[in-house]
Amino acid sequence: MSLPIYRLRRWLVVIAILFTAVVAGMYFYARARQRDVLKEIPNKIGFDIKQTAAGFQISKSDGKRTLFTIQASDVKQFKLNGRAELRNVSIVLYGRDSSRFDQIYGDDFSYDKKSGNVTASGDVQIDLEANPTGLAGPDQGTPKQLKNPIHLKTRDLIFNQESGDASTKARVDFNTPQASGWAVGLQYKGKSNTLTFDSDIHVTLGGQDGASLFATHGTITRDPRVIILEHPRLERATGTLQAEQATFLLGPDNNVERVLATGNVQAEEKAVTNNQMRVRADEAELLLTGKENVLQTATLNGHVHVERSGTTMTQGDAGRVIVNFSGRNQLQKVHAEEGVHLLQHAARAESPAQNAAAPQDFDLTARAIDFFVSKRSRLDHAATSGPAEITISPAQGSSPSSTQESAQRTVVTAGHFDAKFAATADGSNRLTAIHGSPNATIVSFSSGQPDRISTSETLDATFSPQGGIASIVQQGNVDFSDGQPLEKRTQAWADKAIYTPSDRILILSGSPRVAEGAMVTSARTIRINRANDDALAEGDVKSTYNELKEQPNGALLSSASPIHVTAARMTVRNSPAIAMYEGKARLWQDANIIEAPSIEFDRTQRSVVAQGNASQPVSTVLVEAKSSEKDKVVEAKSQSSSEAKAKKKLAVKPADTVAITANLLTYADADRHARYEGGVVARSPAFTASANSMDIYLLARSQTSSSQSFTGSSQLDRMVAQGSVNIQQGARRAAGDTLVYTAGDDKFVLTGGPPSIFEAERGKITGVSLTFFRGDDRVLVEGEASTPVVTQTRVAR
């Protein structure tokens, strides 16, 4: 960022030369010598002389070297009024050390004995020239080479020999190798060695920029060596600089050592390709070193304000700004302190790109900020001292994609910030990146929403050319919370988090975990769309659903124990309550397990849709519900020994598990109904059943046997299989269209097809309905007139 202070460096050098060499040198030195010369004239020629003397020279020396010489072609003295007139006067002043060769010349001078005034009638010319080798040359010798003399011209100059004061109301013109100019009116006080320009000071500075200096009033003092300008204004082709007062403090060699500008100091850079800069402060102080007046530091104090327009609008405020220079006035560093505030407005894009980051304003506050400048005088980077705060908000006048974005404001804090800048096409600078550490915190404020808070050890943000954030990267113990009530709150933990505002995608990596309410998910990487709460977890995904309430009327997923799900990938769309798990998905609660290539789980309804295929079917394991021993002692019409034996066996048999596989499973815990479709196979130690579809009805948890642990497997109550039903029970095979299996009494009812059953001993039996039992050899066959019972017996040969 090019600063106006940098542009002052040449101006100050020229001002110093102008006012010290031209004005102070002429009047502190030349006029003091001239006073002595003119005072001697009446004594030399006497008041009683009335004649005219022509072609004379008067010299004065200190016994060793000549101090000055006066030459005139004609001198007249008037006895009545005591006046003397000199014509064609030339005065040369050598100085006590012969280091000067200053010349004063004019056509007419007069001396009034009564008033003590020496008056120049008409123009007075003055040339000021140094003669460093004067002592080595002959007395009154002309310098071998006249270098860069300073020339002044005025008229009607009045000098009083008693007071040592000199004045003129006429215009004073001056000309130096570095500058030229004029002023109106001049006052010199001999006793205080003070020189004053009355008004209208105009200075034109040399160089390609053609700068001009204006002031309403100017004062120069010799002790201390100070130049004071009132309401100075410096104008250049590229800008202006002004203040209520400027004080130049000079060194022994009349070089400017320090400049102090006070009272509403303002600098303005003229617009170049719509790029303009303004600076104001209560006062400004500049320190210079060396004979070439090299600018070392510039300090702005009191309500410092900087504005820069262009592609991006930048504003800065501070209580104090120190600008450091290196080499030949090369800007190197800017240090701002005491409540530093830097605001950068985003650029307005007429046709923003699709999915581009929304324009955002950038606001930085810190105790102190150091700005570092590159060799090309462009702002390169900046660093804060102590804790700092950055506020990022939608740009004024921008058109955000949603109401939520328009109201959102983000505040970033850290123990220290480093910022990177880059040049723009119009010559200004834009923020490209920031790095914050340690204890980085991001707080997002949205109207009507809780504050979102994210913390980490470090933070890195990159910015788009339009000024919006392109991405935010947090690393080291990342912790995020959306501030919602505990039952709805979303929290995240990871080693690294990347957020891109253009698509509002948050990517977590490095052992990431996300908790949404009572659901916790971990994976290798987790992507969250903060616009619609969609999420994608990949790699070793595991979700745990905690804080579940016991559902006495449920079955498979009704306990209060956590529900766990593992998979290669998890997707959540539209509703955070529904999650799709893919890639060797496995869901379980207690002993109840569902495995499939993909499982869609609705935690609110505790429902499952599991999808498989022929090579990777859905798999579940259930427990067959058994009647109590009392229920199994049934009064039967037939009291045969075989029936009694079967009942005894049934009463002591433990419950068996049933493993069911299929291409599709749909289950809702509230209905306790599981529907299997596509290549369904149910296997237990006692039988295997296959069908096109199968409906499984489970017992409610409250109906399970007291011997069954509440955390055990769900118990199968009834099974209805349809389409191409086949049953394998030991050596018995059965087939039909519909099978109803009741687990409580191990009863199979097979219909449709017509149903058939085959046993090695009895052969094949068909009928309208076949009823058989898993625990014995009974088969009940029902038929109709149109469909009689058929028994086919194989005869052994």
Side-chain angles (χ1 to χ4, degrees), residues 34-46 58-60 68 70 111 161:
Q34 182 186 16
R35 179 189 62 184
D36 295 337
V37 173
L38 296 178
K39 185 170 63 177
E40 293 290 330
I41 291 176
N43 296 327
K44 291 286 185 180
I45 64 177
I58 300 175
S59 299
K60 183 176 180 179
F68 62 83
I70 302 176
Y111 171 69
Q161 66 172 1

Side-chain angles (χ1 to χ4, degrees), residues 251-274:
D253 55 356
N254 289 332
N255 285 331
V256 178
E257 294 182 343
R258 187 160 65 99
V259 180
L260 179 63
T262 60
N264 196 25
V265 181
Q266 297 185 46
E268 180 175 330
E269 184 183 56
K270 292 185 178 179
V272 178
T273 62
N274 198 33

Side-chain angles (χ1 to χ4, degrees), residues 286-289 293-298 323-327 329-330:
L286 292 83
L287 296 179
L288 302 98
T289 60
N293 299 105
V294 177
L295 187 59
Q296 183 178 12
T297 62
V323 185
N324 294 321
F325 298 85
S326 64
N329 302 326
Q330 179 68 42

Side-chain angles (χ1 to χ4, degrees), residues 146-182:
L146 297 177
K147 296 182 179 180
N148 302 325
I150 300 172
H151 181 74
L152 297 95
K153 178 182 179 182
T154 188
R155 61 180 297 110
D156 303 332
L157 183 69
I158 300 174
F159 175 78
N160 186 275
Q161 66 172 1
E162 298 299 331
S163 64
D165 296 344
S167 65
T168 181
K169 295 182 180 179
R171 170 169 165 161
V172 180
D173 294 285
F174 45 83
N175 194 331
T176 75
Q178 294 85 9
S180 62
W182 57 274

Side-chain angles (χ1 to χ4, degrees), residues 39-82:
K39 185 170 63 177
E40 293 290 330
I41 291 176
N43 296 327
K44 291 286 185 180
I45 64 177
F47 291 112
D48 58 344
I49 298 176
K50 299 179 180 178
Q51 72 274 16
T52 301
F56 73 90
Q57 174 177 315
I58 300 175
S59 299
K60 183 176 180 179
S61 65
D62 60 359
K64 297 180 180 180
R65 305 282 293 190
T66 300
L67 300 179
F68 62 83
T69 61
I70 302 176
Q71 291 181 342
S73 61
D74 190 13
V75 176
K76 293 181 180 180
Q77 183 189 14
F78 302 95
K79 192 171 184 179
L80 293 178
N81 54 21

Side-chain angles (χ1 to χ4, degrees), residues 334-652:
V334 178
H335 175 78
E337 59 186 30
E338 298 178 10
V340 184
H341 179 200
L342 180 65
L343 173 62
Q344 180 171 287
H345 294 285
R348 306 293 186 264
E350 296 181 359
S351 301
Q354 187 176 7
N355 295 328
Q360 293 173 312
D361 292 339
F362 175 88
D363 194 334
L364 170 62
T365 58
R367 184 180 63 193
I369 304 178
D370 289 311
F371 298 90
F372 298 89
V373 180
S374 67
K375 293 182 179 180
R376 297 182 179 180
S377 299
R378 295 293 181 187
L379 183 59
D380 181 69
H381 66 282
T384 66
S385 298
E389 178 178 287
I390 296 174
T391 300
I392 302 167
S393 56
Q396 298 179 4
S398 62
S399 300
S401 58
S402 69
T403 304
Q404 183 179 3
E405 286 185 7
S406 64
Q408 181 168 308
R409 180 170 56 93
T410 301
V411 176
V412 183
T413 58
H416 172 83
F417 281 110
D418 287 303
K420 286 286 186 180
F421 295 85
T424 60
D426 63 2
S428 61
N429 299 278
R430 70 174 183 88
L431 181 67
T432 59
I434 59 171
H435 172 80
S437 66
N439 304 322
T441 301
I442 301 176
V443 182
S444 297
F445 303 89
S446 297
S447 179
Q449 298 291 328
D451 299 343
R452 294 185 174 187
I453 302 175
S454 179
T455 61
S456 59
E457 294 177 5
T458 66
L459 175 145
D460 291 275
T462 58
F463 294 81
S464 66
Q466 294 75 29
I469 296 179
S471 67
I472 297 178
V473 179
Q474 290 183 269
Q475 297 189 79
N477 299 319
V478 179
D479 189 330
F480 168 79
S481 174
D482 66 356
Q484 294 286 347
L486 188 60
E487 64 275 10
K488 298 180 179 179
R489 182 176 304 167
T490 298
Q491 295 177 277
W493 302 268
D495 291 334
K496 183 177 181 180
I498 302 175
Y499 178 66
T500 50
S502 59
D503 54 12
R504 302 191 68 182
I505 296 297
L506 174 66
I507 301 177
L508 304 173
S509 60
S511 303
R513 290 186 301 126
V514 175
E516 201 285 318
M519 169 191 173
V520 179
T521 298
S522 62
R524 292 181 184 175
T525 61
I526 299 176
R527 297 167 58 94
I528 301 175
N529 188 327
R530 290 173 55 177
N532 54 20
D533 289 328
D534 287 358
L536 172 64
E538 295 183 295
D540 299 330
V541 178
K542 180 178 180 180
S543 296
T544 300
Y545 298 83
N546 297 297
E547 300 180 13
L548 301 176
K549 292 184 179 180
E550 189 176 296
Q551 304 290 340
N553 294 326
L556 190 65
L557 304 172
S558 62
S559 111
S561 300
I563 296 176
H564 304 280
V565 188
T566 60
R569 182 172 55 256
M570 181 198 77
T571 304
V572 176
R573 297 189 183 280
N574 300 322
S575 172
I578 301 176
M580 172 67 76
Y581 296 88
E582 300 176 282
K584 296 182 178 180
R586 187 173 188 264
L587 182 149
W588 72 95
Q589 184 186 49
D590 301 325
N592 300 317
I593 301 173
I594 301 175
E595 295 180 311
S598 69
I599 297 176
E600 182 181 276
F601 176 58
D602 185 337
R603 62 177 173 180
T604 302
Q605 302 297 325
R606 298 199 193 186
S607 62
V608 173
V609 177
Q611 182 71 55
N613 51 53
S615 60
Q616 294 179 315
V618 179
S619 173
T620 57
V621 177
L622 306 173
V623 175
E624 296 183 67
K626 298 300 179 181
S627 300
S628 64
E629 185 176 351
K630 180 178 179 181
D631 294 335
K632 291 170 186 156
V633 180
V634 181
E635 294 293 334
K637 294 181 180 179
S638 174
Q639 295 295 329
S640 63
S641 59
S642 61
E643 290 178 335
K645 183 179 180 181
K647 289 180 181 181
K648 182 177 180 182
K649 182 186 298 185
L650 184 64
V652 298

Side-chain angles (χ1 to χ4, degrees), residues 169-210:
K169 295 182 180 179
R171 170 169 165 161
V172 180
D173 294 285
F174 45 83
N175 194 331
T176 75
Q178 294 85 9
S180 62
W182 57 274
V184 176
L186 181 145
Q187 304 287 332
Y188 171 70
K189 300 297 182 180
K191 292 183 178 180
S192 61
N193 286 326
T194 301
L195 178 69
T196 302
F197 289 102
D198 293 337
S199 63
D200 295 335
I201 300 173
H202 292 69
V203 182
T204 300
L205 305 178
Q208 298 179 353
D209 52 11

